[in-house]
Amino acid sequence: MTQTDTSLNRLEQTAIDSVPAGLYIGGEWRETATTMPVLDPATGQVLCRVADAGPADGLAALAAAADAQRDWARTSPRERGDILMRAHRALLEDVDRLALIATLEMGKPLAEARGEIAYAAEFFRWFAEEAVRLDGGYMPAPGGNSRFLVARQPVGPSLLITPWNFPMAMATRKIGPALAAGCTCVVKPAEQTPLCTLALARILHESGVPAGVVNVVTTSDPGALMTPMILDERSRKLSFTGSTAVGKKLLEQCARTVMRTSMELGGNAPFIVFDDADLDAAIEGALAAKMRNIGQACTAANRIFVQRAVIDEFARRLAERMAALPMGRGTEADVVVGPLIDGDAVAKVTELVADARERGARVLTGGESVDGPGNFYPATVLVDVPDSARMCHTEIFGPVAALTPFDTEDEVVTRANDTPYGLVGYVYTEGLRRGLRVCEALESGMVGLNQGVVSNPAAPFGGVKESGLGREGGLVGIDEFLELKYIGVAL
Ligand code: NAP
């Protein structure tokens, strides 16, 4: 691991200083009586402090969104799309600063942060293009005496809650379709990574988003802030990305007002390698599916099943590649293994590895936590991880590849589906028929067939079972923010 200098250099300080620190409500920046720190996970150092909103601030943001709703819904789809396109270009033009902010607050390597900003910007382009395609229907009633018109209308003021792991992309993946559909919104980023969303708010403001259409509230007490907003009848929609545990709580709250919800929750992705797979491609795919975001992705390959004939070679080659990945602060050149988000994340990974070892797993590389400063855990490969290991039933959320052998297709499908989660799976085989059979049999919202990354703004992202409700992106993403209205017309 490279030595970490805990002070910010001038470029880093300038990037942090460029981010507004207040709440963005009704087109203006507001200060709060108290503030909360934002930490650099690579050093533990306080990067800056931002506003710490309470319930009254949240209700003020909701009031601003509700007040702006009618006018925004009446804005022409082309104008809404044009604003999103301006924001798309602004994000790309500002990629260096924004990527540095993402790396500093979240820890991911700079190259990955740049990729996230481009991915985030693409949601705005995609939904700018969708804004002008809000079609409807016209059909004769079966009896012939009337006509059915079907219109799609904005659902109304929307609450958008995002996690820390993709602080820019999870925000644009919600704000893009909300705005394109004609919905105003209140965005609540994660406490650990508020800076990307605050920087985004300023970009949206400068791109011409009218006052009140997007509001941003940051807080250290999400339950106290969000509960009154969720229970307020002016809120018409909750779009949440985060853990299944918090998602379930929020679903209960939303039931009280029968509020529309979209839930992008946790995963436990199986990554399946058959013995006829292109092993070079499978290893590249495993590295991508495991190491993206230092393993802290809902789509991370959590359980890696490798057919018995090839597991030794696969494990050896994957371990060689993982052992060679440079670890350090995300701002340093070539670093791939940045810090985990906090000390709890390191403790969780450490415990999961210890548990797997006690149950018979062998360590091929890594497996020992490293001294601070920063929340580092090395890239780790374990083999012979039994299905009983705790890491097979919970998100590892760290750079640990858990390998286990399998013998038959039926066996691996049964084991892969043996989880309450169902976000994504990965299958490597050169056999087309087998590939399609297994893709169809996996209980997940998405499958990568011979590819280790599935995220794409033009594709419907989402899970089944306890991984969520609804889809983000793709042709259906905008539907999450639209209601159908049927108008019966007498002839
Ligand atoms: P989390 O703890 O569930 O938090 C997610 C968001 O919910 C944060 O903004 C958090 O605020 C907020 N929150 C927590 N308690 C709340 C409450 N009582 N009321 C309202 N909001 C509340 O998840 P995380 O640790 O940030 O993110 C990691 C999880 O997200 C993983 O499970 C991962 O799989 C999942 N994820 C899923 C997807 C997907 O598309 N399916 C994508 C990315 C991540 P605070 O930060 O202040 O706690």
Side-chain angles (χ1 to χ4, degrees):
M1 182 174 139
T2 40
Q3 272 306 312
T4 300
D5 174 0
T6 54
S7 60
L8 294 187
N9 67 31
R10 203 148 54 133
L11 196 62
E12 293 165 356
Q13 192 63 55
T14 306
I16 293 298
D17 292 345
S18 72
V19 181
L23 307 177
Y24 181 63
I25 297 177
E28 290 171 354
W29 294 95
R30 295 191 190 175
E31 288 182 2
T32 48
T34 53
T35 58
M36 59 182 196
V38 183
L39 306 182
D40 179 345
T43 62
Q45 179 194 10
V46 176
L47 293 168
C48 61
R49 301 186 70 88
V50 299
D52 191 358
D57 300 308
L59 290 173
L62 178 58
D67 287 349
Q69 177 57 51
R70 187 184 290 205
D71 283 350
W72 182 244
R74 287 180 180 160
T75 307
S76 75
R78 180 64 76 197
E79 195 177 336
R80 298 200 298 265
D82 285 348
I83 290 172
L84 284 172
M85 277 307 286
R86 284 200 288 276
H88 160 77
R89 281 193 294 272
L91 280 167
L92 292 182
E93 282 162 11
D94 212 358
V95 62
D96 291 336
R97 179 181 70 98
L98 297 170
L100 186 53
I101 292 166
T103 292
L104 289 172
E105 70 173 341
M106 189 269 151
K108 69 181 70 189
L110 210 40
E112 281 197 53
R114 294 175 68 88
E116 182 184 342
I117 304 304
Y119 174 53
E122 193 56 26
F123 282 106
F124 281 171
R125 178 159 69 169
W126 176 260
F127 285 108
E129 291 162 343
E130 290 299 283
V132 293
R133 303 210 175 94
L134 298 176
D135 58 357
Y138 179 87
M139 69 175 274
N145 57 343
S146 70
R147 296 291 177 265
F148 298 165
L149 298 182
V150 180
R152 293 156 87 204
Q153 296 185 313
V155 63
S158 300
L159 307 177
L160 314 179
I161 302 180
T162 58
W164 50 263
N165 60 348
F166 292 93
M168 190 64 92
M170 296 302 98
T172 60
R173 193 163 82 168
K174 296 186 189 304
I175 297 170
L179 265 52
C183 297
T184 62
C185 59
V186 179
V187 192
K188 194 211 81 64
E191 177 182 356
Q192 284 156 317
T193 57
L195 301 182
C196 280
T197 312
L198 293 170
L200 181 63
R202 178 173 276 168
I203 286 173
L204 287 166
H205 185 91
E206 290 168 355
S207 300
V209 171
V213 171
V214 174
N215 306 276
V216 176
V217 284
T218 51
T219 187
S220 62
D221 192 347
L225 175 76
M226 293 309 300
T227 302
M229 296 165 77
I230 292 171
L231 299 182
D232 191 303
E233 63 184 15
R234 289 171 296 181
S235 302
R236 297 296 168 80
K237 165 90 194 179
L238 173 66
S239 177
F240 171 77
T241 298
S243 63
T244 296
V246 172
K248 285 180 181 177
K249 265 196 228 163
L250 297 179
L251 277 169
E252 280 177 19
Q253 291 185 345
C254 290
R256 297 207 218 154
T257 56
V258 194
M259 186 148 70
R260 285 270 305 269
T261 59
S262 300
M263 292 278 152
E264 295 287 349
L265 308 178
N268 182 2
F271 187 102
I272 302 171
V273 183
F274 285 96
D275 59 13
D276 67 345
D278 173 342
L279 274 201
D280 293 341
I283 285 162
E284 290 307 324
L287 280 166
K290 183 73 253 177
M291 293 307 295
R292 184 171 180 224
N293 229 26
I294 320 145
Q296 303 168 111
C298 53
T299 50
N302 210 55
R303 296 166 294 153
I304 302 181
F305 298 96
V306 188
Q307 208 157 14
R308 203 171 296 275
V310 291
I311 191 165
D312 287 346
E313 182 184 351
F314 182 90
R316 179 182 52 75
R317 290 175 58 189
L318 183 67
E320 274 168 22
R321 293 287 298 279
M322 293 273 278
L325 298 176
M327 180 163 74
R329 191 165 185 238
T331 48
E332 290 160 13
D334 302 326
V335 159
V336 175
V337 189
L340 299 186
I341 189 69
D342 56 24
D344 288 350
V346 177
K348 179 183 173 188
V349 173
T350 306
E351 276 170 37
L352 291 176
V353 170
D355 170 77
R357 292 178 78 167
E358 276 166 27
R359 293 172 197 265
R362 287 181 294 120
V363 179
L364 294 194
T365 187
E368 302 290 341
S369 51
V370 292
D371 292 338
N375 313 312
F376 290 94
Y377 194 91
T380 294
V381 177
L382 304 178
V383 282
D384 297 333
V385 177
D387 291 1
S388 61
R390 280 177 44 219
M391 64 173 54
C392 297
H393 303 277
T394 186
E395 291 181 296
I396 301 171
F397 248 54
V400 177
L403 274 55
T404 179
F406 73 92
D407 293 299
T408 68
E409 182 181 319
D410 271 358
E411 174 209 332
V412 77
V413 167
T414 303
R415 288 169 67 194
N417 287 338
D418 186 18
T419 166
Y421 296 103
L423 188 61
V424 63
Y426 304 91
V427 182
Y428 276 77
T429 174
E430 291 295 284
L432 179 63
R433 284 193 289 180
R434 172 152 72 183
L436 288 179
R437 268 199 313 271
V438 176
C439 286
E440 288 188 8
L442 286 179
E443 294 171 355
S444 62
M446 305 176 284
V447 186
L449 179 54
N450 295 320
Q451 65 179 51
V453 176
V454 294
S455 307
N456 190 311
F461 189 105
V464 300
K465 296 160 74 176
E466 293 191 13
S467 285
L469 298 167
R471 295 292 181 269
E472 291 189 321
L475 295 173
V476 295
I478 199 164
D479 292 340
E480 301 287 323
F481 292 92
L482 292 167
E483 295 280 18
L484 284 187
K485 180 176 279 175
Y486 146 62
I487 304 168
V489 184
L491 281 191

